[in-house]
Amino acid sequence: MIGPFGKFHADPAAPACLDDMAARTAPGLHVDILGGKGAALGLLSHGAGGAGTLADPSGELAVVVAGHIYNGRALCPALEHDAPEPAQVVAALYRADRLDDLAQANGQFCAALVDRTRHRLVLVTDRLATFPIHVWQDGAGVAFASGLYVLLGDARVGRRARLDTLAQLFTMQRTIGTDTPIAGVEALPAATIATFDREGRRDRHYWQLRWNARRMAAAECAEALQGAMRAAVARAQGAGADGLLLSGGLDSRWLLAARQGPMHCWTTASYADNPELAIARQIAKMAASPHHACLVDPASTLRCLEDAIRDNSGLYPASTPFAAFMPDVGRQSRAIISGHGVDYTLRGYYLPAQFLRFGGTATRLPALRPIPQRPTGRDVLNNLRQGPPLSTLRRIVAPSWRERWWDGLATTLHATLEPWLA
């Protein structure tokens, strides 16, 4: 997984070496390291676009950022370039004591910076923690990385699984809140600025989700969504995306409709006569965009399984089949856009579902069950569609684990969602 990694020692004179963590990076990734006593930062990237490092000539400030900040010039008008690098933006905001202005940042990113004058480490996640940062800490210092596999390169980080978090992965295909599958390691929450220095650790949230109570007609809502989607796709294309993962479903068709000009369309299938492959080919033709079929032999998925799990920290199941065909795509496209996530955000992927026949395919639409006006985490859990239901867990989970399994999910989900459930 691309992203920052590094170490921070309580003793500013202690050697900070990242060789052990850098040795666990995937082949083909670009590694940048900003070293120095007391703290060292590293960045794993694909070597071009959207990620960067900055080392102040004085040596006092070092910054690494993964991802994009599209409106960097608006956030920092004093910067010379029209499209400043994200590391320049984060450094400028930090120097001006304006990191909280990242609440207005348009993009997906995470950042790490070291202020050697104050012997301080600062870690930042975006508003959705799109790029994760995993943190381990003891009295002597901090180790962190976007990728758990890279973090485990530090021998101080224990290699003991958390059984309750493995239950989350099995049931929901992801972990909840700050939990990770490794004991003693936490995920930094979304919209968080975590500061580590001589005074200890301090976390602050620079943005909070606010519900917009405005009532919109269906036509107004559709127009607003389409405008937002067109702007999002245009930004991605402007940053170098020239391909689209076109599944044939409504989500990726929407992205194709929102693009500016032709895009190379890629559709994956396990056999040539897959009906969604035929639909995608027809849709691409209607949009005057070239189409490429990626036929994935199921055995190839197994061959790349271990590497994919390492790269995605075992957290994102969709990445495993992606890994089987992405190398072929990468040889012809600089970057591709995917509709993955639109279904989670706008169509209630985790909710009970109804199916609508549309354009030759069946698409899933959410169907909410009745829930209390002020729901708890357990109410939300009982309303989820994803993963084995409680009745199945009661059949396959050992009796000593059954109640702890479901109760643990409900408790963690409530703690994570509590700010939004009031």
Side-chain angles (χ1 to χ4, degrees):
M1 176 179 285
I2 67 170
F5 64 100
K7 297 179 184 179
F8 178 81
H9 297 291
D11 179 3
C17 179
L18 298 183
D19 289 351
D20 49 359
M21 298 171 77
R24 293 172 71 87
T25 61
L29 290 181
H30 187 75
V31 183
D32 284 304
I33 292 179
L34 304 178
K37 288 189 176 181
L41 300 179
L43 181 68
L44 300 180
S45 68
H46 295 294
T53 63
L54 183 148
D56 192 73
S58 67
E60 296 178 355
L61 187 66
V63 182
V64 296
V65 180
H68 294 277
I69 298 177
Y70 295 106
N71 61 335
R73 183 64 185 277
L75 291 173
C76 303
L79 292 176
E80 295 180 1
H81 303 292
D82 289 337
E85 288 292 322
Q88 294 175 312
V89 175
V90 172
L93 292 175
Y94 176 77
R95 290 189 183 105
D97 195 23
R98 292 176 47 219
L99 278 180
D100 283 23
D101 285 0
L102 288 171
Q104 282 75 53
N106 192 330
Q108 299 175 332
F109 62 92
C110 68
L113 67 86
V114 168
D115 181 341
R116 299 193 187 280
T117 303
R118 298 176 176 86
H119 190 52
R120 173 182 294 170
L121 169 70
V122 180
L123 304 177
V124 184
T125 53
D126 67 19
R127 287 178 293 182
L128 297 176
T130 315
F131 284 86
I133 298 182
H134 300 106
V135 181
W136 173 90
Q137 183 178 12
D138 69 0
V142 178
F144 67 91
S146 284
L148 286 172
Y149 184 74
V150 173
L151 181 62
L152 287 172
D154 188 327
R156 299 172 299 172
V157 181
R159 288 156 173 76
R160 183 165 57 87
R162 283 188 54 182
L163 297 182
D164 53 344
T165 310
L166 293 179
Q168 295 174 17
L169 284 169
F170 179 82
T171 310
M172 304 181 70
Q173 297 189 14
R174 63 196 58 242
T175 53
I176 305 170
T178 61
D179 287 354
T180 76
I182 300 172
V185 176
E186 66 170 293
L188 202 63
T192 294
I193 299 171
T195 302
F196 306 82
D197 55 21
R198 294 180 179 91
E199 299 176 14
R201 173 176 175 174
R202 301 176 302 283
D203 287 12
R204 74 177 186 272
H205 300 289
Y206 62 83
W207 175 82
Q208 291 288 332
L209 178 65
R210 301 293 182 213
W211 298 109
N212 187 343
R214 178 189 169 197
R215 305 294 295 180
M216 298 179 69
E220 287 182 284
C221 185
E223 289 180 7
L225 281 174
Q226 181 64 357
M229 186 62 77
R230 285 187 186 278
V233 173
R235 282 191 296 269
Q237 288 186 274
D242 59 352
L244 169 68
L245 188 62
L246 182 64
S247 66
L250 285 181
D251 302 322
S252 57
R253 287 192 226 176
W254 186 12
L255 292 173
L256 185 59
R259 95 281 180 218
Q260 295 180 347
M263 296 190 75
H264 285 271
C265 297
W266 302 87
T267 305
T268 178
S270 57
Y271 58 99
D273 295 332
N274 185 301
E276 283 212 349
L277 181 58
I279 291 171
R281 187 180 294 114
Q282 180 182 2
I283 295 296
K285 183 178 179 180
M286 293 169 62
S289 293
H291 183 266
H292 312 272
C294 296
L295 297 181
V296 179
D297 176 5
S300 66
T301 302
L302 295 177
R303 285 193 294 271
C304 72
L305 182 62
E306 189 169 329
D307 288 340
I309 291 172
R310 267 202 307 265
D311 292 343
N312 65 26
S313 298
L315 302 180
Y316 306 103
S319 298
T320 306
F322 275 30
F325 64 84
M326 283 304 292
D328 291 336
V329 175
R331 281 186 278 271
Q332 300 186 57
S333 286
R334 292 169 295 172
I336 65 169
I337 303 172
S338 168
H340 185 70
V342 176
D343 45 5
Y344 295 84
T345 307
L346 300 179
R347 295 201 290 115
Y349 184 82
Y350 282 114
L351 299 175
Q354 298 181 32
F355 287 86
L356 173 70
R357 300 293 305 183
F358 183 82
T361 59
T363 190
R364 180 171 47 229
L365 296 175
L368 278 171
R369 299 186 184 115
I371 59 174
Q373 189 70 26
R374 293 182 176 271
T376 66
R378 187 175 297 275
D379 294 323
V380 174
L381 178 64
N382 290 333
N383 200 51
L384 294 180
R385 182 199 63 84
Q386 183 69 26
L390 180 58
S391 58
T392 301
L393 293 178
R394 284 175 174 155
R395 263 191 317 110
I396 64 177
V397 176
S400 59
W401 264 87
R402 286 174 188 163
E403 296 309 315
R404 177 181 171 185
W405 186 301
W406 201 256
D407 288 347
L409 288 171
T411 300
T412 306
L413 197 59
H414 185 79
T416 303
L417 297 177
E418 191 170 19
W420 324 117
L421 294 178

